[in-house]
């Protein structure tokens, strides 16, 4: 009886653990094939750099060493989507009224009126790999930006019309064991 109870507790703990994943774009024979989806300055980009960081003065260098912040992880993906972060309160992902894929600032729940917070669906391949896919209702597109952040990502909500030069893409997920940043 005791070992059964212990086993149940173990299962409960495992289930309660946050599952993190990274996202890579997929559109074969295009310049946006296999680029990482990166959070930077409140928006998302394919390729380019992530703006993750860690308040070492508050939590110590040793803790911060685990969260280099130079890549982007996500959490959730069943309806809503969040960034894979450790900062209390997390950081929510949403599609702004102008279509820009966006995320909330740390320590703030502010999301502009008229934003779309749901429509996400992560499905796993169930083939023993850590791979899956992530969809957004209406789809995702990437539009050319500049040399530093080559492609900005938009969600195709009703009011968004992709300008010429934007490319739709699929999102491949890969499970990872930990958050990549304290916050973005
Ligand atoms: C943390 O790292 C910074 C930069 O490397 C260093 O200046 C600081 O002294 C370190 N702080 C502690 C508490 O180790
Ligand atoms: C991120 O930084 C860590 C530590 O500096 C380094 O080991 C890792 O290779 C970097 N990852 C990427 C994707 O640049
Ligand atoms: C996704 O969310 C729905 C509704 O909240 C829930 O019924 C379902 O079990 C969830 N699916 C997974 C895989 O967690
Ligand atoms: C998510 O996608 C899976 C596989 O395509 C589908 O079976 C499921 O109904 C979808 N869930 C939602 C909430 O759309
Ligand atoms: C990947 O994470 C999901 C939860 O988000 C989990 O259901 C699935 O089993 C994981 N896949 C692997 C291969 O660990
Ligand atoms: C590139 O675009 C990003 C996002 O719009 C912007 O923050 C950055 O300042 C731009 N960089 C240059 C060199 O124009
Ligand atoms: C689309 O934009 C118009 C004008 O800004 C607004 O009135 C309308 O509510 C928006 N529709 C949706 C679905 O957000």
């Amino acid at each position: 009886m005791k070992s059964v109870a212990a086993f149940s507790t173990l299962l409960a703990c495992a289930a309660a653990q946050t599952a993190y994943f990274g996202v890579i774009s997929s559109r074969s024979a295009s310049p946006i094939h296999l680029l990482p989806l990166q959070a930077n300055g409140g928006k998302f980009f394919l390729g380019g750099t992530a703006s993750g960081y860690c308040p070492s003065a508050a939590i110590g260098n040793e803790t911060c060493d685990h969260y280099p912040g130079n890549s982007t992880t996500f959490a959730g993906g069943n309806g809503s989507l969040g960034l894979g972060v450790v900062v209390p309160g997390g950081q929510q992902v949403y599609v702004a009224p102008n279509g820009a894929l966006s995320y909330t600032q740390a320590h703030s729940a502010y999301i502009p009126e008229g934003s779309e917070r749901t429509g996400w669906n992560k499905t796993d391949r169930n083939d023993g790999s850590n791979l899956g896919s992530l969809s957004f209702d209406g789809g995702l597109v990437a539009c050319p930006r500049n040399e530093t952040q080559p492609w900005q990502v938009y969600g195709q909500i009703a009011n968004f019309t992709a300008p010429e030069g934007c490319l739709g893409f699929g999102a491949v997920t890969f499970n990872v064991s930990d958050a990549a940043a304290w916050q973005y």
Side-chain angles (χ1 to χ4, degrees), residues 136-156:
F136 175 70
D137 288 348
L140 297 170
V141 298
C143 301
R145 196 52 65 217
N146 58 37
E147 266 175 38
T148 338
Q149 300 292 357
W151 298 90
Q152 186 171 351
V153 176
Y154 294 82
Q156 301 213 82

Side-chain angles (χ1 to χ4, degrees), residues 104-161:
T104 58
Q105 286 181 19
H107 311 294
S108 166
Y110 175 72
I111 292 179
E113 181 86 33
S115 298
E116 178 59 61
R117 305 150 186 259
T118 62
W120 298 97
N121 190 359
K122 178 183 188 257
T123 52
D124 294 292
R125 281 190 194 171
N126 292 321
D127 61 357
S129 75
N130 66 338
L131 299 175
S133 63
L134 178 70
S135 66
F136 175 70
D137 288 348
L140 297 170
V141 298
C143 301
R145 196 52 65 217
N146 58 37
E147 266 175 38
T148 338
Q149 300 292 357
W151 298 90
Q152 186 171 351
V153 176
Y154 294 82
Q156 301 213 82
I157 50 174
N159 266 358
F160 175 76
T161 307

Side-chain angles (χ1 to χ4, degrees), residues 56 60-62:
S56 56
N61 288 348
E62 207 175 303

Side-chain angles (χ1 to χ4, degrees), residues 70-129:
N70 52 359
S71 65
T72 303
T73 53
F74 296 84
N78 181 13
S80 61
L81 180 68
L83 281 168
V85 289
V86 193
V87 65
Q91 291 181 275
Q92 283 301 303
V93 174
Y94 63 91
V95 176
N98 71 354
L101 187 62
S102 310
Y103 60 91
T104 58
Q105 286 181 19
H107 311 294
S108 166
Y110 175 72
I111 292 179
E113 181 86 33
S115 298
E116 178 59 61
R117 305 150 186 259
T118 62
W120 298 97
N121 190 359
K122 178 183 188 257
T123 52
D124 294 292
R125 281 190 194 171
N126 292 321
D127 61 357
S129 75

